[in-house]
Structure formats: structure tokens, C-alpha cells
Amino acid sequence: MKKVAAIALVVLAVVWLLNTSLLATPPTGAPKILAHRGIHQVYSPDGVEEDTCTADRIEPPRHSYIENTIASMRAAFDSGADVVELDVHLTPDRQFAVFHDWTLDCRTNGTGVTEQTPMTELKTLDIGYGYTPDGGKTFPFRGQGAGQMPTLTEVFNALPHGRFLINFKSERREEGATLAVLLRFHPEWRQQVFGVYGGSAPTQETLRLIPGLKGYDRQSTVACLGRYAAYGWTGIVPDACSDTLIIVPSNYAPFLWGWPHRFAARMRAVGSEIILLGPYGGGDFTSGIDRAEDLAMVPEDFAGYVWTNRAETIGPLLGKRLAASSD
């Protein structure tokens, strides 16, 4: 029994030495802000499901920005965002409409499926029409969103120095092929695309057609983190974690082998970037690092991307934290 106990202690010591961040040098660089939908109206995540209309449950507005508009993206960059996440739908007239919802009924004064509506018609809609913070008593953004749904081309042209994480809302492979063609004809836009994610078919098609581009879908994320959980303690990084974007929910992060610094160093060594989310509670809802107290979830010397729904709050706060740590 003593020999067994001694062997067990040696094994535990080896695992600890291989994975402790106390003996790891943090990767160089500062944390970077990834602004989900630009700066936008936020809402309580309680009870949100895939088909929940979130425009009719927003918090009392703190600003006038509407998600996925050029103005909201510009404001996010002005607040310190390094990347803005946006949502796209390929319309019948072969334009990428930048809009979150699968249908138009929740946020706009239109009806129908977004991807089945020509961009010429989408341009006539008021995308601020459905927002209400008080159960329909007032609609503070009606009229302000008229004609404000942009195309992806308009976003690239209006914000030539911005970088974007593109979310495919469908499972149409042709969306990935169309984006690849668009970037082939406009190589100046390639550097603006930080990555792609969402529907597996368009995401994987884009990655196949555009060498060097990073992206992820649910399957690739599960493959990476699942295999890493199984044998990452050895220091071996699964192929599924190489040259990709790795989504890490903050409540799962402490259970990753080597979190934070050794894990980050391993991912950087295989060409991958880490995106730190808020806590994951199941379902399809993505939470962010959105409040001052949430910054406790961001490790000191973290050099990855911080996903937030409040870039206007977290950007300046993170900047102050960095300034204080460098004094």
C-alpha cells in the first residue's frame, strides 16, 4: 500500500508540475475586447430560448445604439474593442444582410424570414421598431432604425480598419462559398475578417476555401475542449485545438488543464486564439463579461479576447485595470 501511495503521489506531482501556471510564463500581450453585436441594447438572459424575442424585454436604455448597425460598431471600436461580432444572412439578391434574427417580426416593422427577403426590401424596414423596455408601453427606438440594416459590404467599406467575427445564422453551405468569393474579389477586406462561426456547413466551407482563416462551430469546439479535458494534462494539444478560435466559458475555465497561463501558452504555440466568455448555463444563449464584477473572471496577464455585450463599460474598465497593473 505504501508503494501504491508513493506512486500515486509521484503521478500527482508530475501532473501538477506539467499544468501549474505558477511555473509558466504568461503569454505576452494584453486582453482584447470582442464586442458582441457592437454596442447594443441589452436584456435579461433569464428564460431566453432560441425563438425568444429579446427586443421586447430590453433594459431601460443607457444609450441610443441599435445592434448590428454601423453606428453601433463604430461606437464599439471607439470604446476600445479590437473585434466586433456581427450576424449575417444571405438574401435572395445575393447580399449579406447584417442582422441577428432569423425572422423580422421581433425587431422590425416587417414580417417573414430574413434570408428569404431581398436586401432592397430589408433596407426599407425600421430595425428599431420592436424595442420596448416596459412591456409595450413605450417604443423608444421607433423611427431611429429606419433604413439602418447594413450589408456586409457596407460594413467593410464604412469601417476599413475594423476587424469582425462573422456569425453565420443558417446551415447553408453556399453562405460560406459566397463569403469566400466576396473576399477573393476584394482581397483588401480579408484582413478585416477576424474569423467565422455559427452554422457548421457555412463555417467549414469558408475555412476550406480561405486558407489561414480561423473559425469554429459547436462540433469543433466540443472536439477541442473534450479531447483536451481527456489528455491535455500531458501537455499534448489535440489537433482539433490547432489554428482555430477556442471558446472558453469563464465558469469552465478553471477546470482546463493549465488554466490560465500554461493553457494559453499551449494554445498560442499551435496557432490558436482564446475567446473568454461569461458563464455558460446551457442552451444557445451566449453570456459575456458585462459588469465590473465580471472582470474578476479575466485572469491577470490574460492576453486573449474578452467577449462582452457592454463594450462601452468593459473596454474602459479593462483599460484602467491594465494601467493600474503597469504602475
Side-chain angles (χ1 to χ4, degrees):
M1 290 296 296
K2 290 183 178 179
K3 288 184 178 180
V4 172
I7 291 171
L9 286 174
V10 170
V11 170
L12 289 173
V14 169
V15 171
W16 184 84
L17 288 169
L18 286 173
N19 292 282
T20 179
S21 281
L22 295 176
L23 304 177
T25 302
T28 58
K32 295 165 279 289
I33 294 292
L34 196 160
H36 183 216
R37 306 189 201 178
I39 289 179
H40 63 280
Q41 304 304 315
V42 298
Y43 48 84
S44 170
D46 296 338
V48 171
E49 298 179 357
E50 188 173 354
D51 59 351
T52 299
C53 177
T54 55
D56 63 10
R57 55 187 291 164
I58 61 169
E59 296 178 1
R62 302 182 185 183
H63 54 72
S64 61
Y65 295 110
I66 300 173
E67 65 180 49
N68 276 311
T69 60
I70 289 173
S72 78
M73 298 175 203
R74 182 176 286 116
F77 289 125
D78 289 344
S79 294
D82 295 89
V83 175
V84 165
E85 185 267 4
L86 54 80
D87 309 288
V88 298
H89 306 259
L90 185 62
T91 64
D93 43 0
R94 312 306 293 175
Q95 297 284 324
F96 278 112
V98 180
F99 186 69
H100 177 269
D101 292 2
W102 184 253
T103 61
L104 302 168
D105 305 61
C106 170
R107 282 179 164 73
T108 83
N109 56 335
T111 59
V113 177
T114 305
E115 68 170 19
Q116 295 174 3
T117 308
M119 196 69 220
T120 51
E121 182 177 339
L122 294 175
K123 280 291 189 182
T124 69
L125 301 179
D126 179 1
I127 61 173
Y129 188 85
Y131 287 88
T132 176
D134 49 22
K137 294 178 183 178
T138 61
F139 293 87
F141 299 104
R142 281 192 177 176
Q144 297 184 34
Q148 295 302 304
M149 188 187 302
T151 66
L152 186 60
T153 295
E154 289 171 336
V155 170
F156 287 155
N157 284 328
L159 300 165
H161 302 296
R163 300 191 74 202
F164 303 94
L165 175 62
I166 297 174
N167 180 15
F168 292 115
K169 302 302 290 185
S170 83
E171 279 291 350
R172 298 163 60 194
R173 188 174 300 277
E174 65 178 306
E175 286 196 348
T178 302
L179 179 60
V181 170
L182 185 68
L183 297 181
R184 189 174 302 127
F185 277 96
H186 294 276
E188 70 275 17
W189 293 342
R190 169 62 185 85
Q191 293 305 310
Q192 292 178 257
V193 181
F194 168 72
V196 294
Y197 82 108
S200 181
T203 296
Q204 294 305 320
E205 183 71 357
T206 308
L207 298 178
R208 184 180 73 83
L209 294 172
I210 305 178
L213 184 65
K214 292 180 172 63
Y216 65 95
D217 55 25
R218 182 184 294 273
Q219 294 92 324
S220 66
T221 298
V222 170
C224 167
L225 295 183
R227 293 169 192 172
Y228 187 80
Y231 58 82
W233 65 271
T234 64
I236 297 173
V237 177
D239 290 341
C241 297
S242 297
D243 297 312
T244 189
L245 301 175
I246 299 174
I247 302 300
V248 177
S250 55
N251 54 333
Y252 284 77
F255 303 101
L256 293 172
W257 298 110
W259 180 262
H261 302 321
R262 198 173 291 275
F263 176 83
R266 288 170 180 167
M267 297 306 117
R268 179 171 288 189
V270 296
S272 293
E273 299 278 5
I274 300 170
I275 300 175
L276 183 64
L277 307 179
Y280 178 66
D284 293 323
F285 182 78
T286 302
S287 67
I289 306 293
D290 297 334
R291 304 168 299 169
E293 53 266 38
D294 293 343
L295 285 176
M297 305 178 200
V298 182
E300 294 293 335
D301 299 315
F302 180 70
Y305 291 82
V306 176
W307 181 291
T308 182
N309 293 292
R310 287 194 181 277
E312 74 278 15
T313 298
I314 297 302
L317 286 176
L318 196 55
K320 289 180 181 178
R321 191 177 88 166
L322 289 170
S325 65
S326 62
D327 288 345

